[in-house]
Amino acid sequence: KVTHDELSGHFATRPDVIVAVVSATQLARQLYLTLQLLELQRPLIVALNMMDLAEKDGVEIDVDALSQALGVTVIPVVAIDGSGLERLLVAADQALTGHPLLTLAPNDAKAVAGVQTALRAAAKPASVGDALWLMTSVDSAVAEEAELCRDALDVAQRLTAIHPDPMRPSDLKRRIIAARYKEIDGILASAVTSKPSSRSPGESRIDAILTHP
């Protein structure tokens, strides 16, 4: 929640650019957050870290294909020795605005658009990501804390008018999660190939524990 509010500018000025640090060794899992960041429709660049370990794991990532699939610049880096960091800093000054890759059912897409309209009317951040956050994550208590209670009520009224069928947030959230993972499957198919790993099983287990405690 704090991260979302910070990136959306609820607390202060929004950041000029978002740098998503993604582990090349856990690409499938970490692309989920990247898609959420794209939904915020802010300038975004992806730092693809641990490329050296991914290669040892037998994971070959076509960086150009990944960049094309995401619609933003992807810079391979190895943080431990600084490789690629200079390119990352240069590219950050020219970061492209992210665009949602999520493909929603017509009724869900219409509802999201209605929430965005309500947020704009309340002079609040109104990206697709902001709308989805409000629709799936914010209950009345959290909304009050974030000074969004009145907006949430307005949004709910508009959502009811636009989408007359009952829409339980839990069902909507499941559909959104499924749509994101479907998009991730397509991205991986276009940008990643695998071959036998050159790393020992012990090394891979240690990496998994350190990157996902």
Side-chain angles (χ1 to χ4, degrees):
K1 177 184 177 298
V2 173
T3 301
H4 173 268
D5 288 347
E6 185 68 34
L7 294 178
S8 295
H10 287 296
F11 297 143
T13 304
R14 289 186 296 182
D16 294 327
V17 60
I18 299 171
V19 179
V21 181
V22 173
S23 172
T25 64
Q26 300 287 339
L27 189 58
R29 176 178 294 191
Q30 300 202 358
L31 277 178
Y32 191 91
L33 174 59
T34 304
L35 293 192
Q36 290 178 296
L37 293 174
L38 288 171
E39 289 159 13
L40 292 175
Q41 297 171 272
R42 302 289 301 148
L44 175 71
I45 187 170
V46 173
L48 191 59
N49 192 25
M50 302 177 75
M51 284 289 286
D52 55 335
L53 294 183
E55 291 175 0
K56 289 182 180 180
D57 280 342
V59 178
E60 295 184 352
I61 300 174
D62 185 330
V63 175
D64 290 337
L66 180 60
S67 178
Q68 184 174 359
L70 293 174
V72 295
T73 302
V74 177
I75 303 294
V77 299
V78 180
I80 195 169
D81 65 10
S83 300
L85 295 184
E86 186 173 340
R87 285 186 60 208
L88 182 66
L89 291 174
V90 172
D93 288 332
Q94 305 170 350
L96 301 174
T97 298
H99 295 285
L101 300 180
L102 196 62
T103 301
L104 295 173
N107 281 343
D108 289 342
K110 191 173 182 179
V112 170
V115 174
Q116 288 181 275
T117 298
L119 288 173
R120 291 190 191 100
K124 297 293 185 181
S127 69
V128 168
D130 292 310
L132 290 173
W133 173 262
L134 189 60
M135 294 166 72
T136 62
S137 304
V138 180
D139 59 26
S140 58
V142 175
E144 188 172 1
E145 288 178 14
E147 297 182 356
L148 286 172
C149 191
R150 183 180 299 277
D151 296 344
L153 292 174
D154 290 343
V155 166
Q157 291 171 356
R158 295 190 183 218
L159 180 57
T160 301
I162 293 171
H163 194 106
D165 296 330
M167 181 197 287
R168 291 182 295 175
S170 59
D171 292 342
L172 174 63
K173 192 168 186 175
R174 281 195 290 269
R175 293 197 297 274
I176 290 171
I177 290 171
R180 285 180 181 140
Y181 277 115
K182 183 177 180 180
E183 188 63 40
I184 289 171
D185 288 343
I187 292 171
L188 294 175
S190 68
V192 179
T193 56
S194 299
K195 60 183 181 181
S197 173
S198 64
R199 284 209 291 169
S200 69
E203 286 181 294
S204 298
R205 284 196 297 271
I206 290 172
D207 176 57
I209 292 172
L210 292 178
T211 55
H212 299 286

